[in-house]
Amino acid sequence: MFDVVIVGGGAAGFFAAIHIAEARPNVKIAILERGKQVLTKVKVSGGGRCNVTHAEFNPADLASNYPRGEKELLGPFHSFATGDTIGFFEKRGIPLKIEEDGRMFPTTDSSQTIIDCFTSEAERLGVKIFRICTVTGFENITSAKDDYWQVNTTKKTYKCKKLLVTTGSNPKIWDLLHRLGHNIVSPVPSLFTFNIQDERIKNIPGISTHAEVAVLDKIKSRRNTDNASQSEILSSEGPLLITHWGMSGPAILKLSAWGAQILDSYKYEFKIKVNWVPEYHPAGLLELLLKVKLVEKKTVLRTKVLDIPKRLWTNLVRASGIDDNVTWPDVTKAQLQELTTQLTQGLFFVNGKSTFKEEFVTAGGVDLKEVNFKTFESKVLPNLYFAGEVLNIDAITGGFNFQNAWTGGFLAAQGIVNSFDNT
């Protein structure tokens, strides 16, 4: 009989185990991991550097980065947030650094630093780790004499007083929890890039520029062909990266996170509208181009008058029906109007998605209404706790998903420790 069994050897599971063991050294803790390796998501995060958290220190601002979980995490972030995460790692000799975009990494730039920290701490504190140990069922055993959880696995059966589930996006575990009476919000992908086949971006992968992107209402956009009248349902602004498959970068990833359920309902076929120069609206940009026409003598193609990559400018000029040898004095107002549209209201058809690197994130999971966010304990079954992405919580890219894991793991650990004190 263990005091605590943690199902899932990932970020939230290890973080919780360490905090429980530190607070109560005599408590017997086991981590059950279905794979050969633990902390696999930590390994690949941030391109192998591990994007530990984000330099956002205001709880409300931090919570605003969670399309699902914003309201529920506000209270927990007042108890444990970015500053506490930094403190945890610094206490263990792992300083973090802040990059220009706010992402935080260990100064070693290696995820192995974080993995070694967790595994060595777990070993030091006597936490048992069982690998290749797939859970096949949970049973809540309650009687006049007994009150414990039984965890059935492919290896053996484990018994425990407290059960913490930190399995991330695992459909089989969600199914087991559903059988126990928990409502599971149907999972859909989040954090993905847009697949786009379009001549305007076909030959320029690797180009990055600041842009504003809007997803158009699929139903209403069928009725409207005029770019300006297309109904927008989601929009974001930020760096946009052109790839071999289409578009990525923060501007796209934000849309994929906030629109996860809508875009799933669209079966990942929809239109987006891109403003490559978000500092301009169409009327203002056309006015600028007409002024350039009065003073510039070179070809339109060779005279990049806006702060966008040269190759992108070239493609958009050509897409506007302006031949390579047309000079500014010879370009027509109609052609400049079309160029304005291409620059500020370019329509692109998205046909499919691609996973963002190896950092797969899912929207969906245990219904948040069924969790006490002071302790991360189930409201449906006693002595059952959750942390991490097993819950219907997910974030935009930038270290926020790990911060959810740290916060949930810490508060679940506190809840478990306090429950032992009260028994």
Side-chain angles (χ1 to χ4, degrees):
M1 170 79 79
F2 284 94
D3 296 298
V4 183
V5 165
I6 298 171
V7 181
F14 269 85
F15 206 72
I18 290 165
H19 281 95
I20 296 167
E22 281 194 326
R24 294 290 178 272
N26 296 326
V27 165
K28 293 173 67 179
I29 304 167
I31 294 176
L32 311 183
E33 167 55 44
R34 64 176 175 168
K36 292 181 182 179
Q37 304 295 330
V38 294
L39 300 160
T40 52
K41 204 161 187 179
V42 171
K43 181 76 173 175
V44 299
S45 163
R49 296 193 298 142
C50 191
N51 184 185
V52 176
T53 186
H54 200 93
E56 179 53 79
F57 299 93
N58 178 287
D61 291 339
L62 181 58
S64 71
N65 293 283
Y66 296 80
R68 281 138 303 264
E70 177 177 1
K71 177 169 66 76
E72 290 80 5
L73 286 174
L74 183 57
F77 282 155
H78 278 91
S79 298
F80 192 97
T82 306
D84 304 290
T85 299
I86 295 168
F88 172 87
F89 287 109
E90 286 190 342
K91 181 182 175 184
R92 289 157 179 81
I94 302 173
L96 305 181
K97 60 177 179 177
I98 304 172
E99 301 211 332
E100 193 175 331
D101 58 4
R103 293 182 302 161
M104 298 193 70
F105 295 86
T107 54
T108 59
D109 276 329
S110 173
S111 58
Q112 195 61 44
T113 304
I114 306 300
I115 293 170
D116 291 345
C117 168
F118 284 152
T119 53
S120 62
E121 282 289 87
E123 184 179 353
R124 178 180 70 83
L125 294 164
V127 176
K128 302 292 183 184
I129 302 169
F130 300 99
R131 296 173 175 83
I132 319 178
C133 189
T134 302
V135 171
T136 57
F138 301 119
E139 292 180 60
N140 186 210
I141 310 297
T142 53
S143 65
K145 292 184 179 180
D146 294 311
D147 185 6
Y148 64 90
W149 278 95
Q150 182 171 300
V151 183
N152 303 319
T153 78
T154 48
K155 283 190 170 179
K156 60 180 287 188
T157 296
Y158 298 88
K159 296 178 181 179
C160 61
K161 297 171 185 174
K162 311 289 178 184
L163 176 62
L164 171 57
V165 180
T166 63
T167 47
S169 305
N170 186 323
K172 290 182 179 178
I173 297 296
W174 281 330
D175 184 52
L176 295 176
L177 293 171
H178 180 65
R179 291 184 206 173
L180 291 171
H182 264 289
N183 181 45
I184 305 298
V185 177
S186 297
V188 297
S190 180
L191 284 191
F192 49 84
T193 64
F194 293 175
N195 293 352
I196 300 170
Q197 294 297 319
D198 193 289
E199 289 297 320
R200 290 168 289 177
I201 61 171
K202 186 177 179 181
N203 60 346
I204 54 172
I207 280 180
S208 179
T209 188
H210 193 87
E212 184 179 21
V213 189
V215 173
L216 304 183
D217 186 301
K218 191 169 183 178
I219 307 302
K220 291 182 180 177
S221 66
R222 287 183 187 142
R223 305 175 198 143
N224 301 318
T225 54
D226 175 30
N227 294 33
S229 63
Q230 303 263 333
S231 179
E232 300 177 7
I233 55 170
L234 291 165
S235 67
S236 74
E237 185 176 330
L240 185 155
L241 175 67
I242 295 170
T243 72
H244 289 286
W245 298 274
M247 295 182 188
S248 184
I252 298 296
L253 295 170
K254 284 178 189 174
L255 291 177
S256 73
W258 289 97
Q261 287 156 333
I262 295 171
L263 301 184
D264 179 72
S265 73
Y266 286 175
K267 295 183 168 46
Y268 309 104
E269 292 187 356
F270 54 93
K271 288 179 183 176
I272 59 171
K273 183 162 65 178
V274 181
N275 184 348
W276 300 103
V277 282
E279 63 271 26
Y280 288 99
H281 55 80
L285 181 58
L286 179 59
E287 184 181 344
L288 171 68
L289 296 179
L290 289 171
K291 286 180 180 177
V292 174
K293 174 179 166 60
L294 295 174
V295 297
E296 183 58 63
K297 305 300 181 188
K298 295 177 184 176
T299 63
V300 178
L301 193 75
R302 294 184 62 186
T303 313
K304 182 171 71 76
V305 297
L306 297 164
D307 185 22
I308 64 172
K310 175 69 174 173
R311 288 192 293 162
L312 177 62
W313 168 265
T314 297
N315 284 8
L316 296 179
V317 168
R318 288 171 176 164
S320 305
I322 301 171
D323 290 339
D324 292 6
N325 59 352
V326 172
T327 61
W328 281 95
D330 293 333
V331 71
T332 67
K333 183 177 180 181
Q335 288 174 319
L336 291 181
Q337 285 174 324
E338 179 58 28
L339 179 56
T340 297
T341 298
Q342 289 290 346
L343 285 161
T344 61
Q345 299 175 306
L347 294 183
F348 293 84
F349 181 67
V350 177
N351 184 14
K353 60 174 174 57
S354 296
T355 302
F356 177 62
K357 298 183 180 177
E358 299 89 355
E359 299 166 42
F360 185 71
V361 174
T362 297
V366 175
D367 194 327
L368 303 186
K369 297 187 189 74
E370 300 174 350
V371 179
N372 175 353
F373 278 91
K374 291 182 179 178
T375 60
F376 281 71
E377 185 176 11
S378 165
K379 292 180 181 178
V380 176
L381 293 159
N383 301 318
L384 172 63
Y385 297 77
F386 304 104
E389 288 177 40
V390 68
L391 296 165
N392 183 27
I393 294 175
D394 62 284
I396 62 173
T397 185
F400 300 105
N401 282 300
F402 272 139
Q403 186 56 55
N404 168 46
W406 314 140
T407 297
F410 174 81
L411 287 174
Q414 266 201 335
I416 289 168
V417 168
N418 291 338
S419 71
F420 284 133
D421 291 344
N422 296 329
T423 56

